[in-house]
Amino acid sequence: MSIEVTKYQQDSEFTSRASEDEIDLRELFAVIWQGKWLIIAITTLFAIGSVLFALSQPNIYKSEALLAPASTDQNGGGGLAALAGQFGGLASMAGINLGGAGGADKTQLAIEVIKSRQFTSDFIQKHDILADVMAAKNWDMANDKVIYDADDYRVDTKEWIRQADAPFKSQPSMQEAYKEFKKIIAVNAAKDTGMVTISIEHVSPAIAQQWVTWLVEDINKVMKERDVLEAMRSTEFLNKQIALTNVADIRTMLYKLIEEQAKTIMFAEVRDEYVFKTIDPALVQEEKAKPKRALIVALGTMIGGMLGVMLVLIRYFVKK
């Protein structure tokens, strides 16, 4: 009997403590209502701050081009694959690797080249756009002029005056420029269609459009030059191999390989759109891509309201 009474008392004490620890929703709403002016004040402060922040952000325009991978059937891949099947054994005996059907995909290789530090540095230096990458602050729509940061760059003398700690200098390095350029460029390939999209974001819509156009031209030219140089070196090597062998079948194979290299060079010389064909060229956009000022203000106001409610509740529980 005493055991049952003790158990009943323990259950009663547990229930009593649990009821004391329970948070009464009506009490919470009452606390929030009492602190409504603090919540309104904090929410208003955050709303005003988010409006000022949104208005201070420059308009960013995005220009993009839709590209299709150019056909590489004439580029030696198919011919080398056929030769690999026909003369693979002889090539191995001669110490020559035909490489099968093809090596790396040219489209993916071109995308990685565009993203590389070397290509980006060469692109910036070739077109002299370092100031537009590193110091462009805003865009004067009426005069179609870029406004540069006066603390970093003087437009009239084209002189860099920014304050930088060692090892950095007043004029940004190519490593700094690469980091900034990587933020504004996007290169994406669709897995289902294989189409490639290159886009640039900038304060000037004209500059964004021009850079996309230059990127497409330059990557086609760079990939063409790489393949032509490789084909010329291969031809030189194959001619040396022909001079070193008297086996008729091997010489036939080597001549066919030289023919494939000649096709590669010819194909590259007659085609400007070597890797990418432009399906939809870049345009000078009339509407900004960002910032989303309404979204910034809405999020800022919501964060302010949540912070106000939290402060009111924390203050109440601390006092309690």
Side-chain angles (χ1 to χ4, degrees), residues 38-302:
L38 178 59
I39 297 173
I40 292 173
I42 295 176
T43 303
T44 303
L45 182 63
F46 269 74
I48 294 173
S50 60
V51 169
L52 295 176
F53 174 78
L55 294 176
S56 67
Q57 300 302 302
N59 289 339
I60 302 297
Y61 297 87
K62 181 178 180 180
S63 184
E64 62 182 12
L66 180 63
L67 312 172
S71 173
T72 57
D73 292 342
Q74 305 174 45
N75 209 13
L80 288 177
L83 288 175
Q86 185 176 359
F87 297 107
L90 287 173
S92 299
M93 292 174 59
I96 300 172
N97 181 17
L98 295 180
D105 176 57
K106 283 191 181 298
T107 301
Q108 188 60 40
L109 179 61
I111 292 175
E112 296 304 321
V113 170
I114 294 175
K115 296 178 180 179
S116 67
R117 289 180 177 85
Q118 184 63 51
F119 180 85
T120 301
S121 300
D122 293 342
F123 180 79
I124 293 173
Q125 292 173 333
K126 174 183 176 182
H127 299 288
D128 192 20
I129 58 173
L130 183 60
D132 292 319
V133 174
M134 299 297 297
K137 187 177 181 181
N138 215 323
W139 177 56
D140 183 358
M141 184 182 298
N143 299 312
D144 191 18
K145 291 177 60 177
V146 176
I147 301 173
Y148 298 94
D149 191 340
D151 295 331
D152 291 344
Y153 184 72
R154 289 180 179 172
V155 181
D156 50 352
T157 60
K158 294 185 177 180
E159 179 185 2
W160 288 94
I161 57 173
R162 70 168 186 162
Q163 300 295 323
D165 298 329
F168 302 106
K169 300 178 181 179
S170 295
Q171 179 171 334
S173 65
M174 283 299 107
Q175 293 184 36
E176 292 180 88
Y178 169 74
K179 290 179 181 179
E180 291 298 320
F181 195 78
K182 194 165 64 169
K183 297 176 183 177
I184 64 175
I185 183 176
V187 184
N188 299 305
K191 294 182 179 180
D192 51 348
T193 62
M195 295 292 181
V196 177
T197 302
I198 298 180
S199 64
I200 289 286
E201 294 181 349
H202 199 269
V203 294
S204 168
I207 286 179
Q209 182 269 340
Q210 182 64 77
W211 288 4
V212 173
T213 303
W214 283 342
L215 281 169
V216 176
E217 293 175 354
D218 286 4
I219 190 58
N220 277 321
K221 183 178 180 181
V222 166
M223 296 302 293
K224 178 195 296 187
E225 291 175 351
R226 288 165 64 106
D227 281 358
V228 169
L229 181 60
E230 182 179 347
M232 293 176 66
R233 288 177 176 174
S234 298
T235 302
E236 182 180 354
F237 170 78
L238 292 170
N239 282 322
K240 291 180 180 179
Q241 295 299 312
I242 290 175
L244 295 176
T245 183
N246 293 321
V247 180
D249 288 340
I250 293 179
R251 291 173 67 89
T252 300
M253 175 196 67
L254 294 174
Y255 280 122
K256 287 185 177 294
L257 287 173
I258 291 176
E259 181 182 348
E260 292 299 326
Q261 303 307 315
K263 288 181 181 180
T264 298
I265 296 173
M266 179 187 68
F267 177 71
E269 293 297 333
V270 301
R271 189 168 186 173
D272 291 331
E273 293 186 317
Y274 183 68
V275 178
F276 293 123
K277 288 183 177 181
T278 302
I279 304 300
D280 190 10
L283 300 176
V284 178
Q285 294 297 327
E286 298 175 347
E287 297 181 357
K288 66 179 177 66
K290 59 182 184 182
K292 306 293 185 182
R293 293 187 173 89
L295 180 60
I296 292 174
V297 173
L299 289 176
T301 304
M302 184 173 62

Side-chain angles (χ1 to χ4, degrees), residues 1-17:
M1 183 71 176
S2 59
I3 297 175
E4 293 181 355
V5 171
T6 303
K7 184 177 180 182
Y8 176 77
Q9 290 176 346
Q10 290 177 347
D11 292 343
S12 300
E13 291 176 358
F14 177 78
T15 305
S16 177
R17 287 196 299 268

